Amino acid sequence: MDEGARGRSSGAGRLLRWTKRAALAAAFVALLLAGLYATRERTLHPLLVRALPSLSRAFSGYEVRASDISGDWTGELEVAGLEVASRGGGPLTRASMKRVRVMGELLALARTGDLGNLASLEVDEPDVAVDLGAQAQDASQTDEPLELPTLPRIAVTGGRIELAGAGPRVLLEGVDITCTGGGDGAEARVVLDAEGDVWRAHVDATLGREVGGTLVFDADVDDLVARGVAARASGVHG
C-alpha cells in the first residue's frame, strides 16, 4: 500500500472513531436527560428551585424564588410558594403567590408566547404591589381601541393588590377573579373589597364579550363609604 492510500485509510479510521465517540456521547446525554425527566420530581425540580433565584437575576430585573415545582412541563406545570422581588425599574414592586398552576400546550406557549395555547390558569392567594408611577412612565402613547383578548379559564382566589405611586394608595383585598375562557360569549367576573385613604367599597363586576365581539360591562358597588358618607350603587353598565 502506497503512502497516499495509507494516509487516506488512517484519516478514515480517525473519522470513524470520532463519529463513534460523538454518537456515544450524544446517546449518553440523551439517556441522562431522559433520566432527569423521568425522575424530575426528585432531581430536576429541586435543582431548578435552587437555581431559580440566580437565573432570574441574570436574565431579568427581578429575583424569583419558589418552594416547589411539579408537573410534566408539556401539559401541566405547578409552582408553590412563588415570590417575586423587583430589583428596580419596573411597575411590579413585589409579588407572592401560594400556588400557581397552568395547563395547556406549554411547549408551544413557551416557543410562541401565544396565549391561545394556555388552557387554564389558577392562582391562590396572590399578594401584589404595583407602582403606578413607574407604569405611567413606561406606558407608550397609543390610539388603538381596547380589545379583549381570547383568555383561558382563569381562577384567582384570595388576592391582595396594593396600588401606589400615582396619587393616594389603593388597597384591593379579597380579590376573586373567574373567567370562563373562550371567544364570543366569554365572561370574566371580579369580586373585591377596595379601600383608599378616605373611602372603601365592595365591588362585584362582570366583563363579557357578546357574539360579534361587543364588550359588555356590569358592576355592583355596595357598602361605599366616603368621608363618613355611606352610599350604594347597583347595576352600573357599559
Side-chain angles (χ1 to χ4, degrees), residues 149-226:
T150 300
L151 298 174
R153 295 188 304 274
I154 298 175
V156 178
T157 57
R160 181 182 184 275
I161 303 174
E162 182 179 348
L163 307 175
R169 168 180 169 274
V170 176
L171 180 63
L172 310 177
E173 295 186 300
V175 179
D176 291 340
I177 303 173
T178 56
C179 179
T180 58
D184 292 344
E187 182 178 275
R189 182 185 181 195
V190 180
V191 180
L192 56 85
D193 293 310
E195 180 178 346
D197 290 342
V198 294
W199 61 272
R200 68 175 184 272
H202 176 77
V203 180
D204 187 340
T206 302
L207 178 64
R209 179 163 57 188
E210 295 183 338
V211 175
T214 302
L215 298 182
V216 179
F217 176 75
D218 183 83
D220 291 327
V221 182
D222 297 323
D223 303 324
L224 174 62
V225 177

Side-chain angles (χ1 to χ4, degrees), residues 7 68 85 121 217:
D68 186 55
L121 170 65
F217 176 75

Side-chain angles (χ1 to χ4, degrees), residues 5-227:
R6 282 197 297 270
R8 287 191 296 272
S9 177
S10 176
R14 285 196 298 271
L15 179 60
L16 181 59
R17 288 193 296 272
W18 279 109
T19 301
K20 289 181 178 179
R21 291 172 183 172
L24 288 173
F28 174 76
V29 171
L31 287 173
L32 179 62
L33 292 176
L36 283 173
Y37 182 78
T39 61
R40 58 189 178 277
E41 300 294 346
R42 301 190 306 275
T43 56
L44 184 59
H45 289 169
L47 179 62
L48 288 174
V49 167
R50 291 194 295 271
L52 191 56
S54 58
L55 288 175
S56 59
R57 287 195 302 268
F59 295 100
S60 74
Y62 298 91
E63 180 175 302
V64 182
R65 296 179 179 273
S67 61
D68 186 55
I69 299 174
S70 60
D72 59 15
W73 291 80
T74 57
E76 178 183 4
L77 181 64
E78 182 171 316
V79 181
L82 182 64
E83 296 182 358
V84 181
S86 173
R87 300 170 61 217
L92 179 63
T93 304
R94 59 167 177 79
S96 64
M97 303 168 198
K98 183 177 181 180
R99 182 185 71 99
V100 179
R101 181 172 180 251
V102 294
M103 298 183 68
E105 299 292 335
L106 302 186
L107 294 180
L109 174 65
R111 186 175 64 253
T112 65
D114 182 3
L115 290 179
N117 294 304
L118 184 60
S120 67
L121 170 65
E122 300 173 8
V123 183
D124 294 343
E125 300 180 19
D127 187 350
V128 180
V130 179
D131 182 355
L132 295 178
Q135 176 67 35
Q137 294 172 8
D138 293 342
S140 58
Q141 297 295 326
T142 177
D143 296 326
E144 295 181 1
L146 175 65
E147 294 185 5
L148 184 66
T150 300
L151 298 174
R153 295 188 304 274
I154 298 175
V156 178
T157 57
R160 181 182 184 275
I161 303 174
E162 182 179 348
L163 307 175
R169 168 180 169 274
V170 176
L171 180 63
L172 310 177
E173 295 186 300
V175 179
D176 291 340
I177 303 173
T178 56
C179 179
T180 58
D184 292 344
E187 182 178 275
R189 182 185 181 195
V190 180
V191 180
L192 56 85
D193 293 310
E195 180 178 346
D197 290 342
V198 294
W199 61 272
R200 68 175 184 272
H202 176 77
V203 180
D204 187 340
T206 302
L207 178 64
R209 179 163 57 188
E210 295 183 338
V211 175
T214 302
L215 298 182
V216 179
F217 176 75
D218 183 83
D220 291 327
V221 182
D222 297 323
D223 303 324
L224 174 62
V225 177
R227 297 186 184 277

